[in-house]
């Protein structure tokens, strides 16, 4: 049986079974996937920080979303064409706001260092970084860095690429891994069948791909479900009331408020009955 998703949080409290996941950090307010964005998520009281990982040309694990560096830095070309030292010289903050000039692309180790003891993490392995190798690839590198960080028990992996999920589980059967649903890989298969075929533990899905009828299947099979990316209060409320385990949002402050309101309402209704 998979571990209840809310137990990944630091300082989990009894009855608090919903996870506020800061998507690329508090990325509505800070340049995505940078240390200020993760510090912001911690300050806003998010439970988990989601971020994307890829490899530099010298095979260091860096935190960055796009395959190309032009949207979120002052550079051009692919992330995998540059060494870590070269990537570190790029400005990954000014594209968002001049106040963040010279904010750099962080390594996985640097992000875990600021998250440790404060916020759980969801490490998303980007398809661009996955290879056929299951030893020596990005998956094994990430597992080693997590081990060194001492964050075990507060880390979930995810990927759109089924190979990354299988590699992680082959290297370490105890690691928690989420499937990122994509129609091109899984079509109309039920979540439980997808999970069984990959040996995965958690089902992460976009708000537009998620089918309400899957709720019965995931509940019956005890599969945690997290929905991305929900930034408005109305839809946050809708998904929380469906009973999902967590929501990825660029606005963890809004989700924190909405989750507290829904909980209060549910408690009041419970008392009235
Ligand atoms: O992990 C949820 C979400 O981050 C997946 O999509 O493109 O934002 O990495 P993307
Ligand atoms: Mg992501």
């Amino acid at each position: 049986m998979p571990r209840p998703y809310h137990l990944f949080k630091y300082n989990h409290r009894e009855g608090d079974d919903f996870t506020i996941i800061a998507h690329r950090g508090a990325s509505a307010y800070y340049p995505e996937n940078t240390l200020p964005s993760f510090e912001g998520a911690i300050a806003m009281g998010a439970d988990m920080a989601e971020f994307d990982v890829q490899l530099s040309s010298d095979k260091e694990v860096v935190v960055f979303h796009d395959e190309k560096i032009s949207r979120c830095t002052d550079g051009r070309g692919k992330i995998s064409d540059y060494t870590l030292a070269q990537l570190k010289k790029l400005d990954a903050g000014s594209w968002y706001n001049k106040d963040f000039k010279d904010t750099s692309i962080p390594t996985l180790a640097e992000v875990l260092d600021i998250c440790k003891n404060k916020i759980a993490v969801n490490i998303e392995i980007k398809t661009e970084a996955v290879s056929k190798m299951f030893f020596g690839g990005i998956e094994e590198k990430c597992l080693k860095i997590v081990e060194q960080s001492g964050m075990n028990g507060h880390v979930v992996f995810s990927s759109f690429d089924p190979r990354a999920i299988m590699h992680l589980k082959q290297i370490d059967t105890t690691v928690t891994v989420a499937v990122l649903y994509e129609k091109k890989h899984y079509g109309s298969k039920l979540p439980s069948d997808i999970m069984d075929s990959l040996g995965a533990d958690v089902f992460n899905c976009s708000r537009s791909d998620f089918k309400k009828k899957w709720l019965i299947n995931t509940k019956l099979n005890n599969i945690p479900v997290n929905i991305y990316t929900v930034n408005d209060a109305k839809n946050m409320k809708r998904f929380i009331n469906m009973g999902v385990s967590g929501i990825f949002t660029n606005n963890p402050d809004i989700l924190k408020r909405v989750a507290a309101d829904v909980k209060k309402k549910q408690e009041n209704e419970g008392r009235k009955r």
Side-chain angles (χ1 to χ4, degrees):
M1 203 203 314
R3 182 173 177 224
Y5 202 72
H6 56 272
L7 294 185
F8 286 90
K9 301 182 198 190
Y10 284 103
N11 305 324
H12 160 255
R13 283 191 307 274
E14 195 61 40
D16 173 20
D17 58 0
F18 177 75
T19 303
I20 295 166
I21 311 167
H23 181 243
R24 309 180 196 174
S27 58
Y29 308 98
Y30 301 92
E32 64 180 53
N33 283 336
T34 62
L35 298 186
S37 193
F38 301 120
E39 279 156 358
I42 294 166
M44 288 175 193
D47 301 309
M48 182 179 275
E50 183 268 357
F51 52 83
D52 312 281
V53 292
Q54 303 189 57
L55 291 176
S56 61
S57 65
D58 50 348
K59 309 298 175 207
E60 298 290 340
V61 184
V62 293
V63 175
F64 200 76
H65 180 270
D66 298 358
E67 183 179 19
K68 291 190 177 155
I69 57 177
S70 55
R71 182 177 63 91
C72 294
T73 75
D74 55 349
R76 292 284 173 274
K78 287 184 183 177
I79 193 130
S80 58
D81 289 338
Y82 293 89
T83 63
L84 176 61
Q86 288 167 330
L87 292 174
K88 277 290 181 191
K89 288 189 187 128
L90 298 173
D91 173 357
S94 291
W95 68 273
Y96 178 83
N97 186 310
K98 291 274 174 282
D99 292 348
F100 296 99
K101 186 177 164 5
D102 293 332
T103 299
S104 63
I105 295 175
T107 62
L108 173 59
E110 286 166 347
V111 173
L112 296 185
D113 195 43
I114 66 156
C115 292
K116 190 179 177 184
N117 296 325
K118 296 190 180 106
I119 190 166
V121 297
N122 176 156
I123 304 174
E124 181 190 339
I125 299 184
K126 283 289 164 207
T127 299
E128 292 79 6
V130 181
S131 68
K132 283 188 202 144
M133 304 191 287
F134 63 86
F135 285 109
I138 187 165
E139 302 88 345
E140 193 183 27
K141 286 177 192 292
C142 288
L143 286 166
K144 277 191 184 146
I145 295 165
V146 167
E147 182 68 40
Q148 282 158 6
S149 76
M151 273 191 80
N152 283 337
H154 302 281
V155 176
V156 178
F157 282 92
S158 67
S159 188
F160 283 109
D161 193 324
R163 294 174 303 169
I165 296 167
M166 290 188 288
H167 293 167
L168 286 161
K169 283 290 187 180
Q170 274 161 334
I171 301 166
D172 181 355
T173 53
T174 67
V175 69
T176 300
V177 186
V179 167
L180 269 163
Y181 174 83
E182 210 175 9
K183 202 167 180 192
K184 76 170 186 201
H185 291 305
Y186 310 114
S188 55
K189 273 187 175 178
L190 281 171
S192 60
D193 292 335
I194 300 170
M195 311 299 283
D196 286 349
S197 67
L198 295 171
D201 313 282
V202 182
F203 189 73
N204 290 357
C205 191
S206 73
R207 53 189 283 188
S208 54
D209 281 334
F210 188 72
K211 294 179 180 44
K212 226 176 158 182
K213 65 176 184 198
W214 287 347
L215 281 171
I216 303 166
N217 176 266
T218 49
K219 285 268 174 270
L220 274 176
N221 291 282
N222 216 0
I223 300 167
V225 174
N226 301 303
I227 303 293
Y228 69 89
T229 306
V230 186
N231 295 325
D232 66 291
K234 191 172 159 222
N235 280 298
M236 288 171 177
K237 213 181 284 178
R238 185 166 69 86
F239 282 111
I240 297 171
N241 282 324
M242 276 186 210
V244 301
S245 305
I247 291 177
F248 295 83
T249 181
N250 300 343
N251 302 80
D253 53 341
I254 298 178
L255 183 54
K256 185 129 183 126
R257 202 179 59 232
V258 171
D261 288 351
V262 173
K263 197 167 193 314
K264 208 183 286 169
K265 198 161 170 236
Q266 285 170 347
E267 281 167 1
N268 284 341
E269 279 166 6
R271 243 176 261 139
K272 270 187 223 153
R273 263 184 228 126

